[in-house]
């Protein structure tokens, strides 16, 4: 079978004779006399498209032959049209060629070896065997884009074994068949089986979007061409919105958000201090008693309610119960005592549609009952 994608990576449609059509669990595997569909290989997902009007579900290789999985059988011997979703194929070519540029430069500039590559609809991830600083990452990105602007030719060749021995090239373990060498003039020489763009200028933009530590090295996320432009547009929208909301210049939104966060944190601290003060004052108004005491307090903040309970129990010798909420949403409670809280709360929850618990000296929970119902039960129990 002829692999048309090696003859010309820009072939969008073709016709071919069906040579085999093998029933499979999830459809039919079709072998053609020739194909432009690139199979799943070397970290890259296969091409999408149609074959004889049917959706191609997957494309894979077996014994160096390319099979197309389709839902319904196609007659052997029939000449059928094949059509690639070429926008997606071109996108993959852009990203794959960009990966060669970046990995070639990562090796020549920083001595990094590419140890992992994955290309799918979200972009490319590349793994390297050593770390890169932020500064080095930016330099790598800039050099890669400079290689794009030079519009360098990208060529494929099939050197003989003797010729190969003389060539210095980056190699991968996932080579299909004879060694195919992809050369990007002055940037990279690498063994590769995938379709590439003809010149680096077609890549458009190479943009790194993330770098994380990964298995003793780094994993870089990268997008190219239209993906990079769309990514920029989306991020620009966010920056523009934040810039408008905070009346800050676009390049200073991070600084403006940091200021806002600092102001907010200060307010939170202020509020917490005030709540604490209020809770203490309210707790001080609880009459000293050796018996039990309950109170409905207007304290919505959970921490303040806890503080109030802790202060309140100092005034009360028996069980101290505090409730906060309203008849519509129910009431939060905190109950403290020297002992016996567990059983008390269990009964309370059962009688008043409640849930919650804790230790024998302190419990927290909620009741889905009205104040009058709670008070009636408390009068009975306390
Ligand atoms: Zn490659």
């Amino acid at each position: 079978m002829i692999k048309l994608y090696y003859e010309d990576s820009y072939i969008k449609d073709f016709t071919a004779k069906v040579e085999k059509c093998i029933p499979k669990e999830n459809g039919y595997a079709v072998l053609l006399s020739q194909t432009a569909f690139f199979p799943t290989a070397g970290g890259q997902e296969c091409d999408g498209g149609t074959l004889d009007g049917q959706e191609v579900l997957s494309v894979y290789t077996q014994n160096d032959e390319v099979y197309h999985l389709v839902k319904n059988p196609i007659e052997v011997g029939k000449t059928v049209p094949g059509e690639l979703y070429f926008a997606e194929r071109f996108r993959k070519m852009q990203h794959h060629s960009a990966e060669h540029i970046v990995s070639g430069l990562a090796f020549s500039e920083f001595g990094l070896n590419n140890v992992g590559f994955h290309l799918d609809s979200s972009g490319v991830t590349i793994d390297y065997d050593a770390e890169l600083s932020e500064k080095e990452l930016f330099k790598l990105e800039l050099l890669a884009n400079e290689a794009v602007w030079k519009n360098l030719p990208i060529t494929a060749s099939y050197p003989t074994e003797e010729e190969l021995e003389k060539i210095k090239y980056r190699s991968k373990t996932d080579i299909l068949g004879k060694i195919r060498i992809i050369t990007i003039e002055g940037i990279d020489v690498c063994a590769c089986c995938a379709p590439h763009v003809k010149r680096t200028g077609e890549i458009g933009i190479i943009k790194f979007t993330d770098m994380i530590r990964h298995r003793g090295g780094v994993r870089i996320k990268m997008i190219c061409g239209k993906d990079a432009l769309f990514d920029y547009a989306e991020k620009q929208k966010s920056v523009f919105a934040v810039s408008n909301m905070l009346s800050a210049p676009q390049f200073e939104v991070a600084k403006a958000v940091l200021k806002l966060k600092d102001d907010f944190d200060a307010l939170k601290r202020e509020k917490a201090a005030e709540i604490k003060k209020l809770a203490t004052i309210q707790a001080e108004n609880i009459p000293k008693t050796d018996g039990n005491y309950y109170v409905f307090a207007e304290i919505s903040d959970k921490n303040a309610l806890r503080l109030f309970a802790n202060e309140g129990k100092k005034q009360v010798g028996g069980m101290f119960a505090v409730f906060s909420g309203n008849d519509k949403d129910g009431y939060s409670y905190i109950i403290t005592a020297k002992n016996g809280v567990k059983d008390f709360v269990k009964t309370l929850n059962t009688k008043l549609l409640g849930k919650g618990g804790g230790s024998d000296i302190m419990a927290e929970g909620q009741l889905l009952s009205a104040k009058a119902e709670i008070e009636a039960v408390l009068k009975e129990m306390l």
Side-chain angles (χ1 to χ4, degrees):
M1 71 161 310
I2 302 163
K3 293 166 181 168
L4 294 168
Y5 47 83
Y6 284 155
E7 301 196 349
D8 181 353
S9 55
Y10 294 81
I11 294 175
K12 301 176 181 66
D13 43 48
F14 62 98
T15 54
K17 212 166 122 185
V18 176
E19 291 189 338
K20 285 182 195 170
C21 180
I22 307 159
K24 294 276 169 188
E25 214 177 283
N26 42 358
Y28 290 83
V30 176
L31 180 71
L32 302 167
S33 58
Q34 56 178 8
T35 186
F37 282 92
F38 184 70
T40 298
Q44 182 171 324
E45 284 177 1
C46 65
D47 288 328
T50 58
L51 189 61
D52 200 22
Q54 280 196 66
E55 186 82 20
V56 174
L57 305 171
S58 74
V59 187
Y60 59 93
T61 49
Q62 207 174 317
N63 300 324
D64 202 30
E65 293 197 301
V66 179
Y67 287 88
H68 310 71
L69 189 75
V70 289
K71 193 163 174 259
N72 301 308
I74 308 175
E75 196 187 322
V76 173
K78 189 180 173 188
T79 297
V80 292
E83 197 178 331
L84 264 64
Y85 296 147
F86 193 73
E88 179 55 25
R89 152 63 90 73
F90 181 67
R91 186 190 154 269
K92 283 180 184 149
M93 282 158 47
Q94 287 177 304
H95 281 78
H96 201 124
S97 297
E99 185 272 324
H100 280 226
I101 293 176
V102 171
S103 290
L105 288 166
F107 180 72
S108 61
E109 290 292 320
F110 305 106
L112 299 189
N113 291 299
N114 174 348
V115 288
F117 166 71
H118 185 76
L119 165 56
D120 63 21
S121 57
S122 67
V124 170
T125 57
I126 325 169
D127 299 340
Y128 292 110
D129 61 352
E131 289 192 12
L132 267 182
S133 68
E134 289 287 325
K135 213 172 146 189
E136 288 168 331
L137 185 74
F138 182 68
K139 188 181 174 193
L140 180 60
E141 189 179 60
L142 187 63
L143 288 172
N145 279 285
E146 279 172 4
V148 170
W149 305 332
K150 284 178 188 157
N151 202 20
L152 304 165
I154 302 177
T155 51
S157 59
Y158 299 90
T160 60
E161 271 184 40
E162 297 87 69
E163 284 169 329
L164 263 181
E165 276 174 27
K166 291 177 202 146
I167 305 172
K168 272 193 180 165
Y169 67 97
R170 292 188 305 109
S171 183
K172 289 179 188 169
T173 51
D174 45 44
I175 313 294
L176 301 175
K178 58 187 170 181
I179 304 279
R180 180 170 175 260
I181 293 291
I182 296 294
T183 304
I184 304 176
E185 212 175 83
I187 301 289
D188 186 50
V189 182
C190 182
C192 175
C193 59
H196 285 264
V197 292
K198 273 202 186 92
R199 299 192 81 99
T200 59
E202 293 173 64
I203 296 165
I205 313 166
I206 296 178
K207 187 76 197 91
F208 298 152
T209 56
D210 200 13
M211 177 173 75
I212 54 163
R213 285 208 173 89
H214 183 73
R215 293 183 181 169
V218 285
R219 169 168 284 180
I220 293 175
K221 277 195 179 175
M222 177 181 90
I223 45 175
C224 302
K226 197 155 101 178
D227 288 21
L229 182 68
F230 278 37
D231 184 71
Y232 190 172
E234 272 305 305
K235 285 171 181 167
Q236 173 74 15
K237 246 193 244 170
S238 286
V239 169
F240 189 66
V242 176
S243 160
N244 267 351
M245 278 187 275
L246 302 182
S247 303
Q250 289 193 23
F251 281 103
E252 287 175 25
V253 290
K255 215 164 98 184
V257 170
L258 188 68
K259 191 186 171 295
L260 195 70
K261 191 180 168 293
D262 285 347
D263 291 350
F264 181 67
D265 288 346
L267 274 176
K268 269 206 302 199
R269 281 193 299 274
E270 234 171 76
K271 187 187 167 212
E274 271 175 25
I275 285 170
K276 195 174 165 185
K277 210 163 115 190
L278 272 174
T280 314
I281 293 168
Q282 285 192 58
E284 278 166 7
N285 290 329
I286 295 164
K288 269 200 182 303
T289 170
D290 289 334
N292 303 320
Y293 190 81
Y294 73 84
V295 61
F296 282 80
E298 280 182 19
I299 304 172
S300 57
D301 186 90
K302 273 256 159 69
N303 288 327
L305 197 65
R306 269 178 215 129
L307 186 83
F308 178 75
N310 278 324
E311 291 298 316
K313 76 178 179 192
K314 292 175 191 166
Q315 309 283 101
V316 178
M319 195 165 285
F320 177 65
V322 55
F323 301 85
S324 171
N326 56 60
D327 283 5
K328 190 172 152 268
D329 304 318
Y331 289 83
S332 296
Y333 65 76
I334 299 180
I335 294 162
T336 67
K338 288 195 174 65
N339 54 55
V341 172
K342 248 184 190 170
D343 287 342
F344 181 85
V345 161
K346 217 171 158 184
T347 314
L348 198 72
N349 285 341
T350 312
K351 289 190 171 181
L352 293 164
L353 305 171
K355 57 176 186 186
S359 71
D360 214 29
I361 56 170
M362 185 166 179
E364 288 183 35
Q366 280 96 39
L367 303 172
L368 279 176
S369 299
K371 188 178 175 183
E373 294 167 307
I374 298 171
E375 283 194 302
V377 170
L378 287 174
K379 271 171 192 149
E380 223 175 80
M381 289 177 70
L382 288 174

